[in-house]
Each structure stands twice: as structure tokens, then as C-alpha cells.
């Protein structure tokens, strides 16, 4: 009896596993690689009327792994329909011909682009300035820009070249901004425990006082090819999410006092949901594992 | 005895005043010549910007919502037309010796500060040292660009939006933001 039950269970497991593998193989067949047998468990609340978006950084390799992560993002959207994606820079490594745009971006995220999901990009140290004119990056020809969704204002900054003009623009925009949530995203991390690059002190010295003064809540960056959630600094939540196309395995300094949570074993992307004065987040690895999840409260925002 | 002490004191004070005056005068003279050098540099940069803007008017337009093909066509046409318009350009035409010295002094001063370790790491870790320094040639798109330290940018002569500074190893480049051409460069800019 027990043996029969075991056999039935084994069959069900194998059949369901086969269905998963088959479905993934079909999806992957045109996208340059076989996907790992991954499922995504969304831990976000999925409240009605909430703002939902995804975040991914350092993507533009065109590698098999980038395609796999792109597929996983599309899969996660079936359960968690996010409206747009923030790209954290290094959108195109090693060349920017029309073919590169296709192989390293539009083909990778085709299911999302086909579903009218918008991408909002920022420039990394591998990106030409003219990427700001690429229609699918929604930068409107600008290297730094602001857009708003609901009660959340998003600021894309160019951390490659934080000059006087950009600093003045940022200050004047933030000073006039009455949004309940202010989220900045750019490439170089003001705080990072990665050994390769680490914290960008010079950038931090210039932008952090502005963020603090004008109530920026969250800062999203890439550059280091790892995931890291930094312990809140001066009331601001900093994330490093730079492993969307490249991974620097074992790069996190385990002794760093900055880290709240870090992951450097595989590539990842992030999902966010804003529900009134709560911002929920989840970081998901290429194999579908939740590597971090949590909620940030905003005292300024209405419940 | 009293008279001798008074005379010695007067003499010492005169010497001190003289030395201080000479130092102030020298500093002022230096700052005047630096200001002139920077002004000259800014005017040379403006000349380049005027030229490249004239060139830009005659290449295929780049829409704000462009396709990769439109971006590529624009870049290539803009590069070719600018290179033709500046075919005789030589290194040091914009980074003239006087402004180069002023910039070197700024960099030297900046790299003495607390941030010097991080600044050097940022600049020297970039995988771009092998790029050929050639005026009027494109910076290879396969190579990364060094992030410019923001505090340093505030100290350097301000540039119009069309051009920007960039480090390649110890050398400083003046780059065109859109056509990705090396407008000029100065070698051994960093201490």
C-alpha cells in the first residue's frame, strides 16, 4: 500500500516536473538557452490599486543567464502584474550596434515589451549617452529625468557625470516635489559591501545631503554584480541590484557593517509594491529563490 | 641699546611685511594668469561646440524616441562629419599649456584630500587603459567609461552640456557627449 502510494506520488512529481520542464523549454527555445526549473513564489501583498514595478541592473550581456532571468521576470508578471521596470544601468556591454540592442535588450525582454511593460533606464559606465534617445528606455533624450506614478516620484540620475547642472536640477526638482514617496535610481552605489567596486564616497558626499534634506526614501543602484540591502543610512534605504546580466560570485565582504542582507551566489531581479505608506520588496534569484523580502514604512505617506 | 632694539624690530617687521606682500602679489598674479588660462580654455571649448552644433544640423536628426538604427545612423554620420570638419585637429589645441597646468594643479590638490584612495581606485580600475589617445577619433564603445568624481567636477572649469571630461588612466580627455569623439586630451593629468 505504502509502496503504491509512493509510486503514485513519484509519478505525479515526475509528470508535473515534466510539464514544467516542457513549458520552460518551449519558452526558452527561441531565447538562447535552457531555463532552470524555476518557479516564482511571490511574497508581496498584491493589494488592489497598488503600484507595482520591477527592478534589474547591469543587464546588457546577451548571455544565456540574462535570457533566463528575463523569462523568469515575465513568468513572475503572470502572478504579479507589474506596470514597469527600472533599469539600473550597464544596459549594453561591449558594443551598441542595432544588433546589440536586439540581442542584449529587446529580444531578452520581448514578452514584457509585447505586454506593453515600460522600461525606464538610467545610464551606467558601459552605456553611451545617446541611449537616452532609445524609445524603449523612455528617457525622452535626457540623461537624468523624473516621472511620477500615483504617490511615488522616481528620479533617474546619471551617476557617471554628476555635474553642477545635474545637482542643481535634482535639488530644485526635489524641493518642489510633494510626492509621498521619492525613489532615486542610478548606477553607482553610494554604499556597497562588494569588494570589486564598493561604496562611492565622492558621489555619496554630494548626493546624500540632498537626499536627506528633501526626504528621499529609497535609493536603487547597480554597478556591483551582487544583491545587497544596506542597513538604513540617515533614514534612507539603499539597495544594490547589479546582477541582472552579470554575476560576481563571492564578491560581498562578509564582514561589512553595512549589510542587512546580501546575496552573491546567482543573478537576480527585484519586485516592488507600494501600498499607501508601505513599500514591499522581494529579490528573486535566477532559480526562483526569494533571496530577500521585506517592507519599508514611510511616516510621511498617508495610510 | 634701546635704539638698537627698536631698529632691529622695525627691520624685522619690514622684512615680514615685505615677504607677505610678495607672497600675496605672487598668488594674485598666479590667480590672474590662471583665470586668463581658464577663460581662454572656455572660449576654445565654445568654438568647438559652435562647430559641432553646425555640423549636427546637417546630419540625420536623432528623435527623442529613436530606434537603434536611427541612433546608429546618427552617431556614424555625426562622427564622420565632425571628423571631416576638424580634419587638422591636433592634441593640445584646447588643453593649451597654461590651462593644462591650472587643471593639473586642481587635480593635484584634489587628490591630496581624504578621498584620494577611492578616487584613484575608481579611475585606475576602469578597463580602458588600452584605448588609443587620438584627437578626433571615437572612444571605443566596447570600453567602459570612468565615472567622474562629482566633487572634482565642481572644481574643474565648467563645461557646456555638449562636452565632458573623462579619465583614461592618468590622462584626461575632453569628449563629445553625443558623437563620442575625443575632442582633445592632456597626458599625465593625474599626479
Amino acid at each position: 500500500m505504502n509502496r503504491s502510494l509512493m509510486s503514485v506520488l513519484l509519478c505525479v512529481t515526475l509528470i508535473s516536473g515534466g510539464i514544467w520542464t516542457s513549458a520552460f523549454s518551449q519558452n526558452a527555445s527561441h531565447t538562447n538557452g535552457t531555463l532552470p526549473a524555476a518557479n516564482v513564489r511571490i511574497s508581496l501583498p498584491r493589494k488592489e490599486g497598488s503600484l507595482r514595478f520591477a527592478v534589474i541592473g547591469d543587464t546588457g550581456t546577451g548571455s544565456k543567464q540574462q535570457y533566463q532571468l528575463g523569462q523568469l521576470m515575465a513568468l513572475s508578471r503572470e502572478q504579479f502584474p507589474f506596470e514597469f521596470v527600472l533599469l539600473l544601468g550597464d544596459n549594453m556591454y561591449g558594443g551598441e550596434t542595432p544588433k546589440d540592442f536586439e540581442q542584449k535588450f529587446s529580444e531578452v525582454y520581448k514578452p514584457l515589451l509585447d505586454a506593453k511593460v515600460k522600461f525606464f533606464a538610467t545610464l551606467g559606465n558601459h552605456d553611451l549617452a545617446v541611449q537616452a534617445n532609445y524609445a524603449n528606455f523612455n528617457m525622452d533624450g535626457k540623461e537624468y529625468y523624473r516621472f511620477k506614478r500615483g504617490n511615488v516620484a522616481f528620479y533617474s540620475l546619471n551617476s557617471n557625470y554628476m555635474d553642477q547642472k545635474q545637482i542643481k536640477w535634482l535639488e530644485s526638482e526635489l524641493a518642489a516635489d510633494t510626492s509621498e514617496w521619492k525613489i532615486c535610481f542610478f548606477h553607482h552605489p553610494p554604499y556597497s559591501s562588494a569588494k570589486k567596486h564598493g561604496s562611492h564616497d565622492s558621489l555619496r558626499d554630494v548626493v546624500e545631503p540632498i537626499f536627506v534634506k528633501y526626504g528621499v526614501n529609497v535609493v536603487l543602484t547597480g554597478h556591483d554584480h551582487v544583491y545587497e540591502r544596506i542597513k538604513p543610512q540617515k533614514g534612507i534605504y539603499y539597495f544594490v541590484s547589479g546582477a541582472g546580466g552579470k554575476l560576481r560570485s563571492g564578491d560581498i565582504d562578509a564582514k561589512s557593517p553595512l549589510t542587512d542582507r546580501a546575496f552573491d551566489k546567482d543573478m537576480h531581479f527585484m519586485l516592488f509594491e507600494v501600498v499607501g505608506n508601505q513599500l514591499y520588496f522581494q529579490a528573486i534569484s535566477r532559480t526562483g529563490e526569494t533571496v530577500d523580502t521585506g517592507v519599508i514604512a514611510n511616516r510621511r505617506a498617508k495610510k | 641699546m634701546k635704539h638698537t632694539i627698536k631698529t632691529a624690530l622695525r627691520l624685522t617687521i619690514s622684512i615680514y611685511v615685505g615677504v607677505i606682500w610678495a607672497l600675496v602679489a605672487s598668488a594674485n598674479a598666479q590667480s590672474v594668469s590662471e583665470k586668463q588660462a581658464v577663460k581662454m580654455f572656455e572660449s576654445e571649448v565654445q568654438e568647438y561646440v559652435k562647430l559641432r552644433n553646425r555640423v549636427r544640423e546637417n546630419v540625420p536628426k536623432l528623435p527623442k524616441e529613436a530606434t537603434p538604427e536611427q541612433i546608429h545612423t546618427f552617431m556614424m554620420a555625426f562622427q564622420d562629419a565632425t571628423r571631416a570638419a576638424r580634419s587638422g585637429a591636433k592634441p593640445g589645441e584646447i588643453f593649451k599649456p597654461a590651462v593644462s597646468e591650472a587643471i593639473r594643479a586642481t587635480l593635484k590638490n584634489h587628490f591630496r584630500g581624504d578621498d584620494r584612495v577611492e578616487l584613484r581606485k575608481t579611475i585606475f580600475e576602469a578597463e580602458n587603459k588600452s584605448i588609443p589617445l587620438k584627437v578626433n577619433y571615437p572612444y571605443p564603445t566596447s570600453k567602459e567609461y570612468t565615472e567622474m568624481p562629482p566633487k572634482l567636477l565642481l572644481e574643474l572649469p565648467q563645461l557646456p552640456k555638449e562636452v565632458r571630461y573623462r579619465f583614461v588612466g592618468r590622462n584626461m580627455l575632453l569628449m563629445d557627449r553625443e558623437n563620442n569623439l575625443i575632442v582633445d586630451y592632456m597626458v599625465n593629468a593625474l599626479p
Side-chain angles (χ1 to χ4, degrees):
Chain A
M1 180 67 183
N2 273 351
R3 196 173 288 174
S4 308
L5 187 63
M6 284 288 283
S7 305
V8 170
L9 279 173
L10 188 65
C11 281
V12 168
T13 311
L14 286 173
I15 290 165
S16 59
I19 290 167
W20 269 119
T21 312
S22 161
F24 281 131
S25 301
Q26 278 169 20
N27 285 340
S29 61
H30 69 286
T31 57
N32 193 18
T34 310
L35 286 163
N39 194 3
V40 188
R41 285 191 179 83
I42 305 294
S43 64
L44 304 172
R46 287 172 273 187
K47 293 263 172 72
E48 204 183 317
S50 63
L51 177 71
R52 300 167 193 187
F53 60 96
V55 171
I56 191 164
D58 301 68
T59 49
T61 57
S63 68
K64 187 176 77 180
Q65 292 85 351
Q66 188 198 356
Y67 276 84
Q68 291 170 345
L69 205 59
Q71 285 291 310
L72 202 62
M73 279 176 86
L75 192 69
S76 72
R77 194 170 177 272
E78 288 171 13
Q79 299 175 57
F80 181 77
F82 51 84
E83 187 189 332
F84 57 91
V85 180
L86 304 181
L87 283 177
L88 300 180
D90 284 359
N91 314 309
M92 219 73 67
Y93 288 102
E96 305 201 10
T97 63
K99 202 168 182 178
D100 290 308
F101 276 83
E102 193 183 312
Q103 288 178 343
K104 298 168 187 173
F105 177 72
S106 59
E107 202 45 47
V108 182
Y109 306 110
K110 192 173 184 302
L112 296 174
L113 291 166
D114 287 348
K116 307 286 177 215
V117 173
K118 273 190 158 189
F119 285 74
F120 292 95
T122 196
L123 299 176
N125 55 309
H126 287 267
D127 301 321
L128 281 174
V130 283
Q131 277 187 24
N133 290 66
Y134 178 40
N136 279 331
F137 285 172
N138 292 291
M139 297 173 79
D140 198 29
K142 296 168 190 154
E143 290 183 29
Y144 44 92
Y145 61 97
R146 171 187 179 274
F147 70 96
K148 197 172 170 181
R149 290 288 185 279
N151 61 346
V152 189
F154 294 89
Y155 289 80
S156 170
L157 307 178
N158 180 9
S159 60
N160 293 308
Y161 209 81
M162 186 63 68
D163 62 356
Q164 213 168 49
K165 287 184 209 86
Q166 187 176 184
I167 293 165
K168 276 186 183 166
W169 172 86
L170 177 64
E171 274 217 81
S172 68
E173 288 289 321
L174 279 171
D177 197 335
T178 55
S179 305
E180 290 168 346
W181 288 93
K182 294 172 187 172
I183 296 176
C184 291
F185 65 107
F186 47 92
H187 188 61
H188 300 87
Y191 294 96
S192 165
S193 304
K195 287 176 268 187
K196 170 73 177 171
H197 297 301
S199 304
H200 284 249
D201 301 348
S202 176
L203 176 67
R204 186 175 71 218
D205 290 349
V206 171
V207 294
E208 192 175 57
I210 301 172
F211 294 164
V212 172
K213 185 175 178 185
Y214 297 107
V216 169
N217 312 91
V218 175
V219 173
L220 304 164
T221 62
H223 197 44
D224 274 313
H225 303 319
V226 295
Y227 171 78
E228 187 179 15
R229 174 162 52 85
I230 303 289
K231 286 177 185 162
Q233 302 289 323
K234 297 176 186 166
I236 299 169
Y237 290 80
Y238 290 86
F239 290 86
V240 180
S241 181
K246 275 193 175 187
L247 172 71
R248 202 163 278 126
S249 185
D251 197 38
I252 291 281
D253 175 4
K255 291 178 187 161
S256 169
L258 293 171
T259 311
D260 230 348
R261 173 84 180 107
F263 178 71
D264 59 4
K265 303 283 181 282
D266 202 347
M267 287 159 47
H268 74 275
F269 69 98
M270 294 188 76
L271 296 174
F272 284 85
E273 181 172 5
V274 184
V275 186
N277 65 344
Q278 310 276 305
L279 182 143
Y280 296 85
F281 61 89
Q282 182 177 4
I284 299 167
S285 80
R286 191 171 56 97
T287 54
E289 181 196 350
T290 295
V291 296
D292 192 18
T293 184
V295 58
I296 295 167
N298 179 359
R299 290 187 200 122
R300 213 174 48 227
K302 290 171 198 150
K303 282 186 184 174
Chain B
M1 181 67 179
K2 228 178 187 178
H3 180 74
T4 317
I5 292 168
K6 266 187 182 173
T7 311
L9 259 174
R10 271 188 202 137
L11 195 64
T12 312
I13 290 167
S14 306
I15 290 167
Y16 271 123
V17 169
V19 167
I20 289 164
W21 182 84
L23 283 173
V24 169
S26 146
N28 280 342
Q30 194 185 11
S31 103
V32 167
S33 68
E34 260 182 29
K35 275 181 190 163
Q36 281 172 344
V38 168
K39 214 171 174 183
M40 172 75 90
F41 170 73
E42 285 169 348
S43 129
E44 298 281 355
V45 169
Q46 276 305 337
E47 280 305 307
Y48 169 77
V49 168
K50 273 186 209 163
L51 179 139
R52 61 84 80 187
N53 284 347
R54 274 201 306 274
V55 168
R56 194 183 190 277
E57 280 172 21
N58 296 312
V59 300
K61 297 284 170 275
L62 180 64
K64 285 181 180 176
E65 296 193 342
T67 62
E69 288 75 18
Q70 284 172 314
I71 291 173
H72 189 69
T73 305
F74 166 80
M75 281 271 296
M76 292 300 107
F78 196 12
Q79 272 182 9
D80 291 347
T82 310
R83 291 185 69 187
R86 297 188 76 219
S87 57
K90 290 183 180 65
E93 284 183 348
I94 298 177
F95 280 128
K96 287 193 160 69
V99 80
S100 296
E101 278 318 298
I103 288 174
R104 277 194 188 94
T106 303
L107 295 173
K108 196 174 172 183
N109 194 37
H110 197 82
F111 275 69
R112 269 189 199 139
D114 297 337
D115 302 335
R116 68 185 181 282
V117 176
E118 188 224 336
L119 289 172
R120 292 187 78 85
K121 189 182 166 210
T122 303
I123 291 161
F124 290 110
E125 78 182 2
E127 287 157 12
N128 63 0
K129 285 167 215 66
S130 62
I131 79 145
L133 292 184
K134 281 185 179 176
V135 165
N136 218 14
Y137 275 75
Y139 187 100
T141 51
S142 58
K143 298 289 178 188
E144 70 171 293
Y145 317 113
T146 312
E147 163 211 0
M148 285 300 293
K151 281 196 284 187
L152 175 61
L153 278 181
L154 298 176
E155 291 173 26
L156 288 169
Q158 297 301 299
L159 294 174
K161 67 177 189 306
E162 291 86 352
V163 286
R164 51 192 43 173
Y165 299 109
R166 183 177 297 162
F167 285 115
V168 171
R170 294 180 64 209
N171 313 305
M172 181 184 257
L173 274 54
L174 185 69
M175 294 290 310
D176 190 301
R177 190 185 76 85
E178 286 182 304
N179 61 31
N180 207 32
L181 288 173
I182 299 172
V183 180
D184 201 1
Y185 64 86
M186 53 187 279
V187 294
N188 297 326
L190 287 178

